[in-house]
Amino acid sequence: MNDIGLAPFLILSAFLFACGVLCFATKRNAIGILMGVELVLNAANVNFVACARFVPSLRIEGQVFAILVIVLAAAEAAVALAIFLNFYNNHATVDVDEATDLKG
């Protein structure tokens, strides 16, 4: 079997992280920003799973952290979508520049 090693996974993770940061740095749409955050969290998951595969001392910890990140991402997406839906019902937009009344 052809083992490809850890480096391609780290490169993929860095690419996903850069795309996520670029997405939430440039988007003004709240859904686009949420998608950028999800890309960053998935980049972390790729790192955790790759380290769990290639670093013997992190075999269980990498998988546990990956599952924890998946659960946190699902909860974050549910709460954020609920906030965005409520904001859209009141303002008919999901532009983050229009969300000045969400400040505490």
Side-chain angles (χ1 to χ4, degrees), residues 24-35:
F24 66 72
T26 59
K27 295 287 184 183
R28 304 305 334 147
N29 185 337
I31 303 298
I33 292 172
L34 181 65
M35 290 172 56

Side-chain angles (χ1 to χ4, degrees), residues 7 24 31 33 50 74 82 85 87 94-95 99 101:
F24 66 72
I31 303 298
I33 292 172
L85 183 62
F87 185 79
V94 288
D95 188 4
D101 57 340

Side-chain angles (χ1 to χ4, degrees), residues 9-10 12-13 16 41-51:
F9 294 105
L10 296 179
L12 172 67
S13 176
L16 284 175
L41 292 174
N42 283 326
N45 270 344
V46 169
N47 272 342
F48 285 136
V49 171
C51 286

Side-chain angles (χ1 to χ4, degrees), residues 17 19-41 76-77 80-81 84 94-99:
F17 183 81
C19 287
V21 168
L22 182 69
C23 188
F24 66 72
T26 59
K27 295 287 184 183
R28 304 305 334 147
N29 185 337
I31 303 298
I33 292 172
L34 181 65
M35 290 172 56
V37 170
E38 295 296 325
L39 279 175
V40 169
L41 292 174
E76 171 257 337
L81 287 175
F84 298 155
V94 288
D95 188 4
V96 293
D97 291 331
E98 302 291 326

Side-chain angles (χ1 to χ4, degrees), residues 70-88:
I70 290 170
V71 170
L72 288 176
E76 171 257 337
V79 170
L81 287 175
I83 291 171
F84 298 155
L85 183 62
N86 190 14
F87 185 79
Y88 182 77

